[in-house]
């Protein structure tokens, strides 16, 4: 792959930061091809009992990703792997999987977590996999079209305890002391993506670095009041320079009195500490973590974890009673009549696993029926009052005429879906690709009429309505595979 020349100003800065010997190895690594890595979905049954090294084409496990992250020996055409569309794995850069270590080391009980700059969803899907069960994840993206991609990826991942929002960081100021954990993977100058993204090289400049570190401080200042006292802020970038990394972490400590939390690392991970202080990477714990491509198998990444101090000047938690009274005063008019009946509700309830019936509440939203965790209904109401909520929980079905049509999100939710509530039909690879292209599907002559759940390698792909001579394809139109190309050699995980 031909890459644009790295700017001389970056080379000069990196040489001063790393020293001549380390810079020489670093510069050589920037000329090498990036690694390819994926992270398996623990909620999808196809991976039960499997370790990363058991899968086809795997080149070892990502050591800081609990057996679910793995490197691939080459990059297959993921677009043409049905299991990719079924949410069985996520293509994620290996270094960024290190976010898991903060959650495992410092989060032991259920929390409400915000991923502030979440699209396209790599860290959100990962956080949802490792958070203690009973946690709620709020994934936010400020850019509208990217928030839709985020919602799609989280839907495919399939965990129902998720809310997706489309807001500017400042909008969250209406929710003071609301979150236990906030991940801020802030927009940055992208130096860590030089090997993977030629645009990152072309757009880099010292002036852009200046813009980035100032924007990052504005983002932190906007979101800091939303973190509960004692809560954890995870600050990360995909860049190397100290202005966006160490200096911003120091600013957070000085500006807000934050406590920098040590992170336990293993020597063999070859993670580098504070570049300004010369922190030894061989230590058992680091104050901040740098991933440098000549040492770790992955792209450039930086992370620090900070704890918010207790304060008498702000509440320990958000006041839901105040929010409820405000909502009553602001409420105007009544909601439009919903076509959802008690019979529809009962049908949707029958589609859920029995063990989840009491944990989740079903509610009518327009013509849809949504399942959402019972314990977080107050939090959802507060967010709907102040934020633009794209989706919350799992859409189980939508009423059209007299029918309740099972939703694709239900097929994706291994946590909620009671698979034996539907007739199922196992499809071939060719049928699966045709389905994902939103083409008409012909099922076996023995397939029953009505709504059928298609599976590929026993993993749900989505629903069709079998009308006999053909099956109406219910795959979401906006998610379809648009390419008519099909690889000569089928390579899937």
């Amino acid at each position: 792959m031909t890459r644009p020349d790295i700017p001389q100003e970056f080379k000069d800065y990196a040489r001063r930061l790393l020293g001549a010997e380390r810079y020489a190895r670093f510069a050589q690594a920037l000329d090498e091809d990036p690694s390819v890595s994926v992270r398996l979905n623990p909620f999808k049954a196809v991976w039960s009992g499997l370790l990363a090294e058991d899968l086809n084409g795997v080149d070892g496990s990502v050591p800081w990703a609990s057996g679910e992250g793995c490197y691939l020996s080459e990059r297959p055409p993921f677009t043409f792997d049905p299991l990719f569309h079924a949410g069985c794995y996520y293509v994620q850069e290996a270094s960024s999987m290190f976010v898991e270590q903060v959650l495992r080391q410092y989060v032991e009980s259920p929390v409400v977590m915000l991923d502030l700059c979440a699209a396209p969803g790599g860290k959100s899907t990962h956080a949802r996999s490792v958070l203690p069960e009973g946690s709620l994840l709020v994934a936010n993206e400020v850019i509208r079209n990217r928030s839709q991609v985020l919602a799609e990826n989280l839907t495919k991942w399939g965990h129902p305890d998720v809310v997706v929002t489309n807001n500017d960081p400042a909008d969250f100021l209406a929710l003071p002391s609301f979150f236990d954990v906030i991940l801020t993977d802030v927009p940055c100058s992208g130096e860590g993506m030089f090997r993977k993204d030629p645009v990152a090289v072309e757009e880099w400049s010292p002036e852009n670095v200046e813009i980035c570190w100032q924007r990052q401080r504005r983002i932190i200042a906007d979101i800091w009041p939303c973190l509960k006292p004692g809560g954890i802020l995870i600050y990360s970038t995909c860049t190397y320079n100290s202005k966006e990394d160490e200096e911003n972490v120091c600013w957070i400590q000085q500006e807000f009195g934050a406590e920098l939390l040590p992170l336990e690392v293993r020597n063999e991970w070859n993670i580098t500490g504070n570049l300004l202080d010369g922190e030894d990477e061989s230590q058992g714990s680091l104050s901040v973590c740098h991933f440098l491509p000549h040492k770790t198998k992955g792209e450039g990444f930086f992370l620090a974890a900070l704890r918010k101090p207790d304060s008498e000047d702000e509440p320990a938690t958000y006041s839901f009673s105040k929010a409820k009274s405000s909502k009553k005063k602001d409420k105007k008019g009544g909601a439009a009549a919903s076509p959802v009946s008690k019979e529809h509700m009962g049908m949707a309830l029958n589609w859920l696993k029995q063990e989840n019936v009491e944990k989740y509440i079903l509610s009518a939203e327009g013509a849809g029926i949504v399942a959402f965790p019972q314990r977080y209904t107050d939090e959802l109401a507060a967010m709907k009052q102040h934020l633009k909520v794209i989706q919350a929980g799992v859409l189980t079905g939508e009423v059209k005429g007299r029918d309740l049509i099972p939703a694709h999100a239900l097929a994706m939710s291994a946590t909620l879906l009671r698979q034996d509530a539907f007739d199922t039909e196992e499809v071939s690879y060719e049928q699966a690709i045709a389905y994902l292209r939103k083409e008409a599907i012909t099922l076996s002559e023995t397939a029953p009429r009505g709504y059928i759940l298609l599976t590929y390698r026993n993993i749900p792909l989505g629903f069709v309505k079998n009308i006999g001579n053909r099956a109406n394809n219910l795959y979401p139109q906006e998610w379809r595979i648009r390419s008519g190309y099909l690889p000569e050699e089928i390579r899937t995980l």
Side-chain angles (χ1 to χ4, degrees):
M1 181 176 74
T2 303
R3 300 185 183 91
D5 292 335
I6 293 175
Q8 188 61 46
E9 296 98 323
F10 173 80
K11 293 179 180 179
D12 294 341
Y13 172 81
R15 187 180 289 106
R16 291 194 302 270
L17 183 65
L18 298 174
E21 182 182 347
R22 277 201 296 186
Y23 174 76
R25 290 184 282 129
F26 171 78
Q28 182 179 354
L30 290 184
D31 286 332
E32 298 170 357
D33 291 334
S35 61
V36 181
S37 50
V38 300
R39 184 172 37 76
L40 309 183
N41 188 339
F43 309 121
K44 303 287 182 173
V46 70
W47 305 119
S48 295
L50 290 178
L51 298 175
E53 54 264 28
D54 296 326
L55 302 177
N56 296 328
V58 165
D59 195 27
S61 297
V62 177
W64 45 84
S66 299
E68 291 164 6
C70 55
Y71 298 100
L72 303 184
S73 54
E74 58 182 357
R75 188 179 186 90
F78 294 114
T79 299
F80 300 100
D81 185 354
L83 294 184
F84 170 70
H85 296 277
C88 291
Y89 63 91
Y90 191 97
V91 184
Q92 184 180 6
E93 207 291 303
S95 300
S96 67
M97 297 182 197
F98 187 74
V99 169
E100 168 180 324
Q101 292 302 317
V102 182
L103 300 177
R104 292 202 183 277
Q105 292 178 36
Y106 286 102
V107 180
E108 298 178 350
S109 57
V111 294
V112 178
M113 175 178 173
L114 170 65
D115 185 354
L116 183 64
C117 312
K123 295 179 182 65
S124 287
T125 54
H126 196 184
R128 186 57 275 179
S129 296
V130 300
L131 282 171
E133 195 57 38
S135 298
L136 180 69
L137 175 69
V138 180
N140 177 72
E141 172 57 42
V142 65
I143 300 173
R144 171 70 183 180
N145 62 339
R146 284 172 57 84
S147 70
Q148 297 297 333
V149 174
L150 173 64
E152 175 184 341
N153 286 328
L154 281 164
T155 297
K156 290 177 177 177
W157 203 245
H159 200 291
D161 299 4
V162 174
V163 177
V164 179
T165 59
N166 172 216
N167 288 87
D168 185 87
D171 297 339
F172 287 87
L173 287 169
L175 300 172
S177 300
F178 194 86
F179 299 101
D180 302 283
V181 180
I182 298 178
L183 167 60
T184 55
D185 186 45
V186 289
C188 68
S189 58
E191 297 164 356
M193 293 293 104
F194 278 2
R195 293 199 302 188
K196 293 183 70 172
D197 186 4
V199 176
V201 179
E202 294 167 354
E203 292 184 348
W204 187 92
S205 69
E207 293 76 21
N208 191 37
V209 171
E210 291 295 312
I211 292 170
C212 285
W213 72 257
Q214 294 176 61
R215 180 194 298 128
Q216 291 152 2
R217 293 190 184 187
R218 287 197 299 272
I219 291 172
I220 298 300
D222 283 340
I223 205 64
W224 186 258
C226 308
L227 185 63
K228 293 178 183 177
I232 295 172
L233 177 81
I234 305 171
Y235 178 86
S236 65
T237 73
C238 57
T239 201
Y240 304 114
N241 70 79
S242 62
K243 288 188 175 183
E244 298 178 69
D245 294 344
E246 282 90 346
E247 292 177 39
N248 267 356
V249 170
C250 184
W251 175 81
I252 296 170
Q253 291 178 272
Q254 295 173 349
E255 186 75 9
F256 304 110
E259 173 194 1
L260 188 58
L261 299 176
L263 292 167
E264 298 298 321
V265 298
R266 295 183 181 178
N267 294 346
E268 61 268 25
W269 293 353
N270 293 319
I271 299 172
T272 304
N274 190 316
L275 291 175
L276 296 181
D277 292 349
E279 191 173 34
D280 188 350
E281 60 267 22
S282 66
Q283 297 182 99
S285 68
L286 297 173
S287 61
V288 301
C289 295
H290 271 285
F291 287 71
L292 303 177
H294 65 287
K295 294 181 59 180
T296 51
K297 191 175 180 180
E299 302 314 293
F301 185 65
F302 172 86
L303 181 142
L306 304 103
R307 190 183 300 280
K308 185 175 185 176
D310 292 325
S311 173
E312 297 179 358
D313 298 331
E314 58 183 311
T317 58
Y318 178 77
S319 174
F320 290 103
S321 58
K322 183 178 180 181
K324 288 178 181 178
S325 63
S326 173
K327 188 175 181 181
K328 286 181 180 178
K329 286 189 292 184
D330 293 342
K331 189 174 181 181
K332 296 179 181 178
S338 170
V340 177
S341 67
K342 289 183 178 180
E343 289 74 18
H344 293 135
M345 282 290 191
M347 189 180 301
L349 197 64
N350 186 55
W351 293 345
L352 305 185
K353 289 180 179 177
Q354 190 61 39
E355 63 266 27
N356 287 322
V357 168
E358 294 184 359
K359 296 178 184 177
Y360 292 86
I361 184 171
L362 292 180
S363 60
E365 296 193 7
I369 300 176
V370 174
F372 189 79
Q374 177 88 38
R375 69 186 294 177
Y376 290 116
T377 54
D378 284 347
E379 284 81 356
L380 179 59
M383 285 187 279
K384 284 185 173 180
Q385 183 181 352
H386 298 294
L387 303 175
K388 186 176 183 180
V389 175
I390 299 296
Q391 70 181 38
V394 169
L395 178 66
T396 61
E398 292 185 276
V399 175
K400 288 189 178 179
R402 295 182 179 181
D403 286 350
L404 178 64
I405 302 174
H408 187 74
L410 178 63
M412 294 292 96
S413 183
T415 303
L416 288 185
L417 173 67
R418 185 168 76 84
Q419 196 163 327
D420 62 3
F422 297 93
D423 291 311
T424 62
E425 182 90 353
E426 177 75 5
V427 297
S428 67
Y429 174 81
E430 290 75 16
Q431 286 176 302
I433 294 298
Y435 175 74
L436 294 167
R437 284 180 170 146
K438 188 102 174 141
E439 296 172 356
I441 302 294
T442 301
L443 303 180
S444 65
E445 294 181 359
T446 58
R449 302 283 182 100
Y451 295 108
I452 294 178
L453 179 66
L454 299 187
T455 61
Y456 172 74
R457 290 172 56 177
N458 298 316
I459 291 296
L461 278 185
F463 293 103
V464 296
K465 185 177 183 180
N466 189 25
I467 57 176
N469 58 335
R470 72 177 192 281
N472 291 338
N473 192 328
L474 301 181
Y475 192 72
Q477 176 73 18
E478 63 275 16
W479 295 4
R480 73 190 188 282
I481 297 175
R482 290 173 171 80
S483 172
Y485 164 80
L486 193 64
E488 294 182 6
E489 180 185 357
I490 298 173
R491 290 182 296 153
T492 67
L493 292 190

